[in-house]
Amino acid sequence: MSARPYVIEEMISAKAIAARIEALCRDIQKEFAETNKLVVVGLLRGSFVFIADLVRELDLPIEVDFLEASSYGDGMESTREVRILKDLRGAIEGRDVLVVEDIVDTGHTLNHVTQLLRTRRPAHLRSIALLDKPSRREVDFRADWIGFEIPDEFVVGYGIDFAQRNRNLPFIGKVRFT
Ligand code: PRP
């Protein structure tokens, strides 16, 4: 599949992403204004670029932790079975937690992860996704903050891969098969 030739067209520029992150951080700071220390949880692997930019823009005391969940493997279709490949290092009971995701597609991943984390009784649990594809949703889930709502396009870049490639593009692009 990855051998199929394709081109990438820019969909959301690096500049537009940076501006949106600034606005999102102003909102998040209001929501967590009273926090002692916010645990910012990145979902690997796709969120690694977004969380790096997000935490550097957040003017709050934070801790960073990671959880790896996967439902796609190297394919383009969700298996709908979310596997936890790597759990958090720290406990979150009684803590303020922000889960950071690159994209919500069918919704299975973030729905599963937030349900799992809620069982650990955090004081306050919120989620943010850079991209949202509501037309693909299979479960009733909406992140608390969304960067951009996008149509059902195959997107790459800014942490998001196609068969593990293109995660290092500084912008969000759409894949066009040629
Ligand atoms: C991708 C993406 C999200 C998830 C969204 O992860 O990073 O975590 O799919 O899809 P969903 O809403 O349909 O569940 P993937 O399993 O490809 O792992 P990755 O983050 O390591 O690329």
Side-chain angles (χ1 to χ4, degrees):
M1 189 192 323
S2 57
R4 263 175 87 189
Y6 63 93
V7 294
I8 296 168
E9 294 167 4
E10 184 172 287
M11 186 184 200
I12 307 171
S13 69
K15 206 172 158 189
I17 296 170
R20 185 70 186 121
I21 289 176
E22 267 189 54
L24 289 164
C25 284
R26 284 196 292 273
D27 265 18
I28 296 168
Q29 279 162 205
K30 275 185 219 151
E31 175 93 6
F32 289 105
E34 306 298 321
T35 196
N36 289 331
K37 209 198 269 174
L38 177 66
V39 186
V40 184
V41 172
L43 298 198
L44 295 171
R45 287 172 269 183
S47 76
F48 78 103
V49 177
F50 183 34
I51 192 174
D53 283 347
L54 193 76
V55 295
R56 284 181 292 175
E57 195 59 44
L58 265 185
D59 187 14
L60 287 174
I62 64 146
E63 234 173 73
V64 175
D65 206 340
F66 292 96
L67 184 146
E68 183 167 10
S70 186
S71 60
Y72 282 75
D74 286 347
M76 287 168 72
E77 275 300 312
S78 170
T79 60
R80 292 168 185 81
E81 186 194 321
V82 181
R83 290 178 300 146
I84 303 297
L85 304 179
K86 181 212 166 296
D87 206 340
L88 298 178
R89 289 276 291 275
I92 55 164
E93 184 168 355
R95 307 288 307 273
D96 294 324
V97 178
L98 176 66
V99 182
V100 180
E101 178 62 299
D102 53 343
I103 183 166
V104 183
D105 188 358
T106 63
H108 288 287
T109 305
L110 207 43
N111 188 46
H112 179 91
V113 168
T114 54
Q115 278 181 17
L116 170 74
L117 297 184
R118 263 198 202 95
T119 65
R120 300 178 186 179
R121 294 179 293 174
H124 204 52
L125 179 77
R126 292 285 181 266
S127 58
I128 181 168
L130 180 69
L131 303 178
D132 187 18
K133 273 189 195 174
S135 61
R136 294 260 307 163
R137 202 69 92 252
E138 292 179 7
V139 290
D140 184 19
F141 181 87
R142 192 170 159 80
D144 297 292
W145 292 282
I146 296 292
F148 302 91
E149 205 174 280
I150 58 167
D152 185 14
E153 299 278 0
F154 196 84
V155 291
V156 291
Y158 202 74
I160 301 172
D161 72 305
F162 174 36
Q164 301 310 327
R165 294 170 60 189
N166 309 121
R167 290 193 197 268
N168 57 331
L169 291 173
F171 57 85
I172 298 289
K174 44 180 158 176
V175 170
R176 287 261 172 264
F177 292 102
T178 53

